[in-house]
């Protein structure tokens, strides 16, 4: 029996589907209207995983707990699955592939459109679920749902634009045609920081292309994945096309290994740390799989002399403190020209004082908790290392008085390139500020890392804008802008930040093979 069914019986007196009674919502919800009921459990709540169109337990009935990072309370328990269940899901996906690939592009497009509509109709409940398991403020969670659903809308359109081509032949007796076909079963592993959108950004193009999917969501935030399964089923997705394997951190490695090494899995898509990505790449190499990897970053944020200081500070806060600094494209290293350094720091401190830390289910909160205590300890290590090496904490710097996984928004000044916060991705609410004097100097500092996902800079010098945009060694550049992600644009990095792109018209190519047909005439 699914937990959400028991919840519906208790509240409504009958086991109705959650899709039959929730109000339709637009892409912008009235968050304040939710506050009276935010402590109630989200409608989308399960105690089973979803494999081959069925809600199932683990073979040995083992489970693991999922906790609300804001309160430490147990949200619920889910099956702790491993090798056996992953094998079952892969076999089902492989069987389903040979019927799903033969559906028309229009049929797949129509499914994705229905899936999009259902997500938007249930935006309120999906947002509540994200906040419960991830901790981010409810308004941010609602924005994530709209962003995530947007990938289903976008790829519902791209499904019908998978074009082949003819190529002029060097021989009059031959005709050359190129077609595109789905790669097959796609294994996916997604992170906890965007538990809804990181799934739809991968699954939507895969389904649009005609692939089937076996997904392992992060152990901290699995409920959002299962809610998407429920909606996909309601939208008419056949069994086996999209399965979700839940597992604890202990079993995560074996699930990932099965997906990477299984001969029936043709594609691996992973978002997470560079360290884990390298392990998965090695495993996938055994069967020469197609891979796309969206890995770690260490984004530079450069403020030049000519910058509009107010806009730069606004962009800095938006980029750094969204999701409490827990995004792969967060600004991590702030390089500020020495002539405006003090003014920028002063304005940044004033802006940070306006942030409100607390439980994301409470009204007016802008900063939720970090995902767990391990994340808090990493932030503390970075700050301690910086202070020991001569940096200064000018605001924040400690665990928040709320306790648990809450941490104060922090600014650290006089940072140097030798400090951990400059060399590694902090993944927390810490702005590390570094002085620079010349363009050449700051480019060398910005490009010194092994990663290259996103970068940002503020300048009103048009010549400088072109120079810096071309010379920053990153896959995505925000120019006088701190928020760059959107459905329409390609998302991906260079160096050790990953392989391939997600979103945009390029996203579907990650799930397609090019086949050359030579016709003798």
């Amino acid at each position: 029996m699914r937990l959400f069914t028991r919840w519906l019986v208790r509240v409504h007196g009958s086991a109705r589907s959650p899709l039959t009674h929730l109000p339709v919502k637009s892409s912008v919800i009235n968050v304040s209207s939710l506050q009276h009921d935010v402590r109630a459990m989200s409608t989308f709540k399960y105690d089973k995983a979803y494999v081959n169109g069925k809600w199932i337990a683990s073979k040995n009935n083992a489970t693991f707990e999922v906790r609300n990072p804001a309160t430490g309370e147990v949200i619920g328990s889910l099956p702790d699955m491993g090798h056996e269940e992953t094998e079952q899901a892969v076999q089902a996906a492989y069987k389903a592939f040979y019927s799903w690939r033969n559906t028309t592009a229009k049929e797949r497009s129509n499914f994705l459109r229905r899936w999009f509509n259902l997500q938007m109709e249930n935006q309120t409940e999906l947002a509540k679920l994200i906040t419960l398991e991830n901790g981010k403020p409810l308004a941010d969670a609602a924005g994530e749902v709209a962003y995530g659903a947007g990938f289903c809308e976008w790829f519902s359109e791209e499904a019908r634009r998978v074009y082949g081509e003819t190529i002029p032949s060097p021989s009059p007796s031959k005709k050359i045609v190129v077609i595109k076909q789905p790669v097959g079963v796609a294994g996916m592993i997604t992170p906890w920081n965007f538990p809804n959108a990181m799934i739809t950004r991968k699954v939507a193009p895969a389904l649009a292309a005609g692939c089937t999917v076996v997904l392992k969501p992060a152990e901290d935030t699995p409920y959002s994945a299962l809610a998407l399964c429920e909606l996909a089923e309601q939208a008419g997705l056949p069994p086996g096309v999209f399965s979700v394997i839940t597992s604890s951190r202990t079993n995560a490695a074996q699930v990932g290994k099965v997906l990477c090494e299984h001969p029936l899995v043709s594609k691996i898509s992973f978002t997470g740390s560079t360290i884990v990505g390298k392990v998965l790449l090695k495993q996938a190499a055994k069967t020469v799989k197609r891979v796309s990897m969206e890995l770690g970053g260490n984004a530079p944020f450069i403020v030049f002399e000519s910058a509009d200081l107010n806009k730069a500070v606004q962009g800095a806060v938006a980029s750094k403190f969204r999701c409490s600094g827990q995004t792969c494209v967060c600004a991590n290293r702030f390089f500020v020209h020495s002539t405006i350094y003090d003014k920028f720091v002063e304005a940044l401190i004033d802006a940070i004082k306006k942030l409100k830390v607390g439980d994301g289910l409470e009204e007016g909160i802008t900063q939720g908790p970090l995902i767990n205590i391990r994340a808090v300890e990493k932030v503390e290590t970075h700050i301690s290392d910086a202070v020991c090496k001569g940096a200064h904490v000018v605001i924040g710097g400690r665990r928040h008085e709320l306790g648990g996984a809450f941490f104060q928004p922090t600014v650290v000044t006089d940072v140097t390139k030798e400090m951990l916060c400059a060399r590694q991705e902090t993944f927390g609410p810490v702005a590390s500020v570094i002085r620079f004097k010349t363009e050449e100097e700051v480019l060398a500092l910005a490009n010194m890392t092994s990663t290259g996902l996103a970068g940002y800079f503020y300048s009103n010098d048009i010549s400088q804008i072109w120079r810096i945009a071309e010379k920053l060694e990153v896959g995505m550049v925000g120019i006088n802008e701190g928020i760059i992600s959107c459905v329409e644009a390609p998302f991906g990095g260079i160096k050790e930040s990953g392989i391939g792109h997600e979103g945009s018209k390029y996203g579907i190519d990650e799930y397609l093979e090019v086949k050359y047909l030579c016709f003798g005439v």
Side-chain angles (χ1 to χ4, degrees), residues 17 54 91 95 98 130 172 191 272 290 300 352 380-381 425 440 477:
S17 164
K54 297 178 182 178
Q91 293 289 346
K95 181 178 179 181
Y98 285 94
I130 291 171
R290 289 276 298 275
I352 288 173
E380 289 178 324
T381 298
E425 186 177 31
E440 293 73 21
V477 182

Side-chain angles (χ1 to χ4, degrees), residues 156-171:
S156 74
E157 298 161 352
E158 290 300 300
R160 302 180 70 178
R161 299 191 181 107
V162 178
Y163 301 126
E165 62 181 334
T166 58
I167 299 173
S169 173
S171 169

Side-chain angles (χ1 to χ4, degrees), residues 171-209:
S171 169
S173 63
K174 297 177 182 177
K175 298 295 182 184
I176 297 174
V177 176
V178 171
I179 63 173
K180 295 181 179 180
Q181 295 181 307
V183 299
V185 177
M188 299 179 177
I189 302 172
T190 54
W192 49 261
N193 55 348
F194 289 89
N196 175 290
M198 294 303 94
I199 293 173
T200 55
R201 194 164 76 182
K202 297 175 185 296
V203 175
L207 299 184

Side-chain angles (χ1 to χ4, degrees), residues 6 25 28 61 63 90 97 170 233 236 238 263-265 271 278 289 302 315 361-362 404 421 434 463 471 473 498 500:
R6 294 203 295 267
K25 297 292 183 183
V28 179
N61 291 316
T63 62
V90 169
F97 171 65
E233 182 180 292
L264 299 185
V265 176
T271 296
K278 289 179 179 180
K289 284 181 175 42
I302 307 170
L361 293 175
E362 296 175 2
C421 58
I434 304 170
S463 297
K471 292 179 180 179
E473 295 174 357

